[in-house]
Amino acid sequence: MKKIVLVAGVIFSLIIIGILLIRTNSKNTNITKKKTKVGLIMNSVKDDGTWGQSHFEGIKNCEEELNLEVIYAEEVPKNEECVKIMEELIKEGCEIIICNSYDYGQYELEVAEKYPDVYFFHASGVKESKNLATYFGRMYQVRYLTGIVAGLQSESGEIGYVAAFDIPEVNRGINAFTLGVREVNPKAVVHVCWSGTWIDYDITSDATNKLLEKHPAIDVLTVHSDSLATMDIAEEKGIWSIGYDYDNSDTYTNTYLTAAVWNWEAFYREHIKRCLQGKFQGKHYWDGIESDIVRISKFTPNVKKGISEKVVVAKNKLENGEFDVFYGPIYDNEGNLRVSEGESMTDEAMLNDFNWFVEGVQIDE
């Protein structure tokens, strides 16, 4: 008799759990029943082929699935004007605001404080609040992989890197890329020049040409800016190129190898769902390659045979946590030991302390 009562009790408990799960799933499914307006503040245009387009397509690709209406503003000034534009979007019914540039930070914080019932996201931001989350991706992991491509593709062992600014984010990418290069081509050199701009085409073009004039043996070029000038020059001069932000392989068919690209769709889908479920958290997110927020784009036919297999091995190690880029020993380009064997850099150090460059980097002043 006791056994019968026990079995009945277990069955009853399972039924209750099943009902609760059904209700929970139903609730999560119904979150998309109502259309949600999302406002996107952009520092460039939606079809720039770089940073702006990666964000625009990322959120637009979530529109149908999550029943969103995306309202976007292009080339928004990074001053008090952006406050007015954010407020206009909120008045139009936007319940979520996304800003895609670091320079909007102080203004987005101001608006977030004024509108506590609206969710805010700030790409590459550094200050969070109760209703404002910041986010970025561990692009350095993909930079390392593209470095492997460059190191194996190069015949001269001289590689060019056109970078926007001497800041930790950019330096982290330069160092990761160079570690990838030197992993497969230990004597290779990465020549770096500063353009001093994220988006100005003419300035980036001048910086690229000066780099090539100074180092004519460069046979692979890559970039950390949101201008396509370097890719245009590489195509014109017949130099292998590795892109950034967005896959432009269809444009540069003769010289393009691959790119370190953003897949913002993966982030936006997950975190807008959380907003709709009332599970938003005002914190900083720095997701890695395993989250699919950062990717190495498909290889073009220009990539030498055998490179793909080596990159896949390294990518798998990054994805399963067996390896990360800044594991010691790592020496800087002045011969100093920066990361000891058996140690790795902390997130804090990677985010803020890269005022030095690894062995193999040569900076053009």
Side-chain angles (χ1 to χ4, degrees):
M1 182 67 181
K2 289 182 179 179
K3 288 184 178 179
I4 295 173
V5 172
L6 180 62
V7 171
V10 170
I11 293 172
F12 180 75
S13 297
L14 291 172
I15 291 171
I16 295 299
I17 291 171
I19 291 171
L20 291 173
L21 286 172
I22 290 170
R23 287 181 176 176
T24 301
N25 289 335
S26 175
K27 182 179 179 181
N28 288 339
T29 301
N30 290 337
I31 59 173
T32 60
K33 187 175 182 179
K34 178 181 76 73
K35 187 173 289 294
T36 301
K37 291 184 178 181
V38 178
L40 175 62
I41 300 289
M42 302 172 63
N43 66 335
S44 58
V45 295
K46 65 180 182 179
D47 57 353
D48 61 3
T50 62
W51 176 256
Q53 191 164 351
S54 71
H55 283 278
F56 179 76
E57 290 187 1
I59 188 64
K60 288 291 284 186
N61 288 342
C62 301
E63 199 169 37
E64 183 176 354
E65 177 186 345
L66 299 180
N67 195 16
L68 308 177
E69 179 184 344
V70 177
I71 306 173
Y72 60 93
E74 300 173 287
E75 297 182 317
V76 175
K78 300 165 188 174
N79 53 37
E80 287 292 339
E81 182 66 23
C82 74
V83 172
K84 297 178 184 178
I85 295 173
M86 279 186 256
E87 291 185 330
E88 287 173 4
L89 290 173
I90 292 169
K91 288 176 184 177
E92 288 185 48
C94 289
E95 300 174 57
I96 299 169
I97 298 292
I98 299 168
C99 291
N100 83 335
S101 173
Y102 170 86
D103 293 322
Y104 295 127
Q106 66 184 86
Y107 307 108
E108 192 171 12
L109 273 170
E110 176 186 331
V111 180
E113 184 176 353
K114 188 175 178 180
Y115 297 91
D117 295 330
V118 177
Y119 297 118
F120 292 82
F121 290 94
H122 184 199
S124 69
V126 294
K127 292 184 179 180
E128 303 80 41
S129 67
K130 186 176 180 181
N131 61 326
L132 191 158
T134 59
Y135 61 102
F136 206 56
R138 295 178 186 267
M139 183 57 81
Y140 70 88
Q141 295 176 325
V142 183
R143 291 285 189 187
Y144 175 81
L145 299 178
T146 60
I148 292 175
V149 176
L152 292 171
Q153 187 80 14
S154 176
E155 296 290 342
S156 68
E158 295 196 41
I159 296 161
Y161 200 119
V162 181
F165 296 100
D166 181 0
I167 58 174
E169 175 201 336
V170 176
N171 298 348
R172 185 170 62 240
I174 292 168
N175 285 338
F177 177 83
T178 305
L179 289 172
V181 168
R182 303 268 291 195
E183 177 67 24
V184 297
N185 194 341
K187 294 182 179 181
V189 175
V190 176
H191 299 285
V192 177
C193 72
W194 307 113
S195 65
T197 179
W198 287 114
I199 61 176
D200 189 287
Y201 185 94
D202 291 337
I203 294 174
T204 305
S205 180
D206 287 344
T208 305
N209 282 321
K210 287 178 182 177
L211 181 69
L212 293 174
E213 288 169 8
K214 190 171 182 180
H215 308 284
I218 287 174
D219 59 356
V220 181
L221 273 171
T222 193
V223 63
H224 191 152
S225 77
D226 304 326
S227 168
L228 293 175
T230 301
M231 302 296 103
D232 286 338
I233 290 170
E235 186 79 353
E236 177 188 337
K237 295 182 178 295
I239 299 171
W240 301 124
S241 66
I242 294 174
Y244 175 55
D245 284 332
Y246 191 84
D247 182 4
N248 285 289
S249 55
D250 290 342
T251 302
Y252 306 108
T253 56
N254 296 319
T255 59
Y256 208 79
L257 301 174
T258 183
V261 300
W262 296 102
N263 178 36
W264 294 117
E265 178 181 347
F267 180 86
Y268 289 140
R269 176 181 289 107
E270 174 64 24
H271 290 276
I272 288 176
K273 276 184 182 178
R274 292 183 188 180
C275 291
L276 301 181
Q277 293 167 343
K279 297 178 180 179
F280 173 91
Q281 290 182 291
K283 57 183 283 189
H284 179 67
Y285 296 93
W286 196 30
D287 298 332
I289 196 170
E290 75 287 345
S291 73
D292 202 31
I293 191 174
V294 290
R295 289 176 174 176
I296 185 167
S297 69
K298 64 183 179 182
F299 287 176
T300 70
N302 299 322
V303 176
K304 288 180 181 177
K305 291 182 179 179
I307 292 180
S308 176
E309 290 79 2
K310 289 182 171 61
V311 171
V312 167
V313 171
K315 181 173 179 283
N316 289 340
K317 288 181 179 180
L318 287 167
E319 288 177 334
N320 64 30
E322 180 182 343
F323 165 76
D324 203 6
V325 176
F326 295 106
Y327 282 1
I330 296 176
Y331 290 84
D332 67 22
N333 59 358
E334 296 179 353
N336 303 304
L337 180 64
R338 291 287 188 161
V339 184
S340 300
E341 187 169 1
E343 295 183 1
S344 62
M345 293 186 71
T346 64
D347 281 1
E348 176 70 19
M350 285 192 288
L351 285 167
N352 301 306
D353 296 344
F354 267 125
N355 57 359
W356 55 274
F357 299 95
V358 301
E359 191 174 26
V361 175
Q362 291 188 7
I363 304 295
D364 279 12
E365 301 297 345

